[in-house]
Amino acid sequence: MGEETEPSLIYGLELQGRSLAPITADTENISFMVGTQSLKSDNFVYIVTLDEDTGLLHKRILKYPAGEVWSLNPNPTDPNLFLSTYGEKSQDSWKKKAAVFRIPESKNNSSNDEGNLDSVDIEVQLDEITGKNEPVGAWYQPNEASKFCLIAGNSVNYLQLQESGPTKIWEAEHSVRGQTKIETGAWNPHRHCHQVSSVSGSQVMTWDTRTGDKAWTFNVASGSNIRSMDYNPNKQYYLATGGDDGSLIIWDYRVPSEPLTT
């Protein structure tokens, strides 16, 4: 007989979801944050925690009154704070926004009934930073809980949160002919997290956060637009990209002319 495999754990959402993120600041538990995306119904953020002793999943449901949850990025040291982009709907318009949210202390531990749920609160609104540009995403610097990258339109913004609000350290532009905005971004977890990357079209561009200057860049030879990317946390120079052509490509960015595997 083959080796026994651990059973899968499944938790179903009441609404469609598109954002999932680990809560790394919760060092005592294996916890994830999940957000729902609905134009017609109220939206929620779920805190899902694995009980390692029993193998069961526990949940906490929070109202998310701001709108559709597009992305979630928990703070690396404070499990009650997270960055989020969201779609705000009014009677005659829809607008994508970004903000820092706070999870309140639980007052209703025994109930997940919708009428008794706590709500996440907007701690810091980021409209002044994004201006007229639509926010793409916001990501905390993994080793600096007060600093984060906010991408809006074709601008990469490196910011610090202070008591008076967010302060812009530097801003850079990533523009590629034929592209109107950056698609996504990601932190390089190596080199003391001093590099952050942005993706526009088929190009990956990486910035040195200490200066705001370009660190390195490469283009996907096929010319296919990149839709997502992430770094390998265990291998310093490896990253993965996924594109419109349906391919997943592993790269060593020191040798961008030839992918490691596709």
Side-chain angles (χ1 to χ4, degrees):
M1 296 178 64
E3 293 184 5
E4 292 186 6
T5 57
E6 294 185 8
S8 300
L9 296 175
I10 299 174
Y11 175 71
L13 304 177
E14 284 77 5
L15 299 169
Q16 175 181 313
R18 66 167 291 141
S19 50
L20 168 71
I23 305 175
T24 56
D26 184 0
T27 56
E28 297 182 357
N29 299 292
I30 299 174
S31 300
F32 295 87
M33 181 179 290
V34 188
T36 66
Q37 187 183 41
S38 174
L39 279 172
K40 297 180 179 179
S41 304
D42 294 333
N43 285 284
F44 303 93
V45 167
Y46 296 77
I47 308 297
V48 182
T49 303
L50 172 65
D51 187 325
E52 294 187 84
D53 294 328
T54 64
L56 299 176
L57 293 175
H58 300 286
K59 65 178 180 180
R60 182 185 177 194
I61 306 175
L62 297 156
K63 292 181 181 178
Y64 188 97
E68 300 174 273
V69 185
W70 277 73
S71 69
L72 296 166
N73 185 253
N75 187 282
T77 61
D78 187 341
N80 293 318
L81 288 176
F82 65 94
L83 285 162
S84 179
T85 57
Y86 59 95
E88 182 183 75
K89 182 184 178 184
S90 62
Q91 288 186 345
D92 55 358
S93 66
W94 183 93
K95 186 176 182 180
K96 196 173 179 184
K97 292 187 173 184
V100 180
F101 287 81
R102 178 171 290 278
I103 299 170
E105 294 295 327
S106 179
K107 295 175 289 189
N108 302 300
N109 292 322
S110 61
S111 175
N112 277 316
D113 293 335
E114 188 169 337
N116 297 317
L117 299 178
D118 297 320
S119 295
V120 296
D121 302 312
I122 292 181
E123 182 97 342
V124 181
Q125 185 60 257
L126 300 174
D127 288 354
E128 290 187 9
I129 304 299
T130 58
K132 295 181 179 180
N133 292 321
E134 181 179 284
V136 173
W139 303 269
Y140 282 107
Q141 186 167 344
N143 63 344
E144 290 277 355
S146 65
K147 295 178 180 178
F148 65 98
C149 172
L150 172 65
I151 293 178
N154 61 1
S155 296
V156 181
N157 301 276
Y158 183 49
L159 306 154
Q160 181 164 20
L161 281 173
Q162 300 176 330
E163 291 185 4
S164 58
T167 300
K168 188 180 293 186
I169 300 173
W170 53 257
E171 179 180 1
E173 183 178 296
H174 184 181
S175 61
V176 174
R177 182 179 297 177
Q179 302 297 319
T180 58
K181 68 181 183 68
I182 297 171
E183 183 64 33
T184 189
W187 284 97
N188 185 343
H190 307 287
R191 298 181 176 273
H192 305 289
C193 302
H194 285 315
Q195 293 183 352
V196 64
S197 297
S198 56
V199 171
S200 183
S202 59
Q203 184 181 76
V204 177
M205 188 171 289
T206 300
W207 313 86
D208 187 327
T209 60
R210 295 165 294 185
T211 62
D213 296 330
K214 296 176 187 177
W216 53 266
T217 183
F218 76 84
N219 293 277
V220 176
S222 67
S224 174
N225 286 346
I226 301 170
R227 296 300 179 186
S228 62
M229 70 165 292
D230 202 6
Y231 284 89
N232 187 319
N234 301 311
K235 291 185 177 291
Q236 184 175 172
Y237 302 105
Y238 286 15
L239 62 89
T241 61
D244 279 349
D245 57 0
S247 63
L248 173 65
I249 306 176
I250 310 299
W251 305 88
D252 180 335
Y253 65 75
R254 297 169 299 179
V255 191
S257 59
E258 195 69 36
L260 293 172
T261 186
T262 301

